[in-house]
Every structure is written in structure tokens, then in C-alpha cells.
Amino acid sequence: AQTVTQSQPEMSVQEAETVTLSCTYDTSESDYYLFWYKQPPSRQMILVIRQEAYKQQNATENRFSVNFQKAAKSFSLKISDSQLGDAAMYFCAYIYNNDMRFGAGTRLTVKP
Amino acid sequence: SQTIHQWPATLVQPVGSPLSLECTVEGTSNPNLYWYRQAAGRGLQLLFYSVGIGQISSEVPQNLSASRPQDRQFILSSKKLLLSDSGFYLCAWSVLRGGETQYFGPGTRLLVL
């Protein structure tokens, strides 16, 4: 079974600094997708970034970028120039076919 | 643009009572639909998904069931709620291909007393 592990329950970053959230996953498939979702206190799940496993190039979305290491099954999220609005729970997710698996989440605190 | 609705937003129910949570999607046709549960401080657990009307796949055996009576309507039900059913329930949709991005509704907070 596919599993997703986020080893950092909590992280903090100073406003305007950079932080990296870690994620590893386990799968025997070769063609899958990876996501980072953000869940603010409202609990709405918001897509941050998406990565196709067949693409070697790391995905980027403005201040958000990933470091995708397929052989190591690692998928970390880098947030640059952190803002107060980035404070939230961040979930790493893996999907193959219609089966999406989520990590336990990392709570990010942004200090002013 | 596509919109996903869930209701009610909050629900408090006694143990043993029935449950019906509704999810509807606007602005798209033939979506994949999903029900997730999130326990406090935890990640999401996939409960059910549907690729079409009347087609339901269950991921976790439990006292919950799902139905899809219309293309863009997905219902989560229970005949008798348990204390362990308390949680945050999220509905999501994606286009009809595996691996596509899932977009989530605002969720329903369920407290079973």
C-alpha cells in the first residue's frame, strides 16, 4: 500500500525567510502524481503545487517550489519569502489512479 | 468556473441517529467525486469515490455509505452514527482521469454525542 510520511509535525519560519517541508512516500508504481495542499484555520483544502512523476523538472508556483527526487521517493516543498498568510497545515499527497493518500501534515508557523 | 458545495457546514448528532451529508458540484460534467474524513490533527482518509452515477468504490469498511444519484451530487450516509464518526468530512472532485488534481469543498464538521 502507498504511504506518505511527513516527518516534521511542526515547523516555524521568520517572515521573509525560506522554509522547506519534507515528505517521503512509498510506492511500487512509476507513473503517479504528487501534491502539496495547504489547510488554513478555515480547514478548506487549497492546492499549492502539483508534480507529475514522469516529469524530471521540479514544479514551481510563484514563491512555492518542490524538490522532487523520484529515486529517493522524496518530495519536499520550499516556501520562499514567507508571509504571515502562509501559516497553515501543509499536507503532502500521492495519487495513483483515483486513490489519493495524505501525510499527517506539518503545521507551519510564521513569525513576524 | 467550477464550484463545490457541501452542507450542512456543522452538525451535532446523537449516537445512533442517521446521517446525510450532501455535496454538489457546479460548472463541470462527469466529475470524479470523493468523500474524505479528517480526524482532529490528522491527515485525510479517503472513504469513498465515484467515477459515475451509481458507481461507488469504498476504501474503508465502516458504518458509512455513499450514493451518487445524479452526475454532480454525492451523498454520505449512515443509518446509525457512532462516537467514532465524529470528524471533519470533505468532499472533492476531479476531472474524469486518474491522477488529476482534486478540488475540495468547504467541509462539514460532525460531532456525535
Side-chain angles (χ1 to χ4, degrees), chain A residues 6 35-49 88-94 100-106, chain B residues 4 6 34-39 41-46 88-93 101-109:
Chain A
Q6 292 180 248
F35 304 86
W36 279 97
Y37 282 90
K38 169 185 176 180
Q39 189 179 41
S42 67
R43 302 192 77 175
Q44 174 90 47
M45 293 288 285
I46 302 166
L47 175 69
V48 175
I49 202 164
M89 284 289 289
Y90 285 82
F91 291 95
C92 177
Y94 159 103
M100 183 174 271
R101 304 285 169 156
F102 285 82
T106 296
Chain B
I4 179 168
Q6 284 186 247
Y34 309 84
W35 277 113
Y36 291 88
R37 176 168 59 200
Q38 184 180 29
R42 304 288 296 277
L44 276 66
Q45 179 187 38
L46 178 64
F88 189 61
Y89 289 82
L90 286 152
C91 181
W93 75 273
T101 301
Q102 294 185 15
Y103 298 95
F104 288 81
T108 294
R109 292 170 176 78

Side-chain angles (χ1 to χ4, degrees), chain B residues 37-110:
Chain B
R37 176 168 59 200
Q38 184 180 29
R42 304 288 296 277
L44 276 66
Q45 179 187 38
L46 178 64
L47 300 176
F48 302 94
Y49 72 88
S50 171
V51 299
I53 295 174
Q55 301 180 60
I56 308 296
S57 296
S58 175
E59 292 296 311
V60 181
Q62 62 228 316
N63 69 320
L64 299 173
S65 62
S67 62
R68 185 170 177 174
Q70 301 180 42
D71 180 46
R72 289 169 287 179
Q73 184 185 30
F74 205 23
I75 297 172
L76 183 69
S77 304
S78 175
K79 292 181 179 179
K80 287 186 177 181
L81 283 168
L82 306 173
L83 287 174
S84 57
D85 291 325
S86 292
F88 189 61
Y89 289 82
L90 286 152
C91 181
W93 75 273
S94 71
V95 298
L96 193 62
R97 279 200 306 266
E100 290 298 324
T101 301
Q102 294 185 15
Y103 298 95
F104 288 81
T108 294
R109 292 170 176 78
L110 172 65

Side-chain angles (χ1 to χ4, degrees), chain A residues 9-64:
Chain A
E10 297 184 358
M11 291 284 285
S12 67
V13 63
Q14 205 70 34
E15 193 176 6
E17 297 293 309
T18 296
V19 64
T20 298
L21 308 183
S22 301
C23 174
T24 59
Y25 57 95
D26 183 29
T27 183
S28 57
E29 306 296 340
S30 60
D31 189 12
Y32 50 87
Y33 299 79
L34 296 163
F35 304 86
W36 279 97
Y37 282 90
K38 169 185 176 180
Q39 189 179 41
S42 67
R43 302 192 77 175
Q44 174 90 47
M45 293 288 285
I46 302 166
L47 175 69
V48 175
I49 202 164
R50 175 177 183 259
Q51 174 80 45
E52 296 93 334
Y54 63 86
K55 289 187 177 179
Q56 292 186 342
Q57 185 174 5
N58 289 324
T60 62
E61 286 289 344
N62 300 315
R63 297 182 295 107
F64 299 88

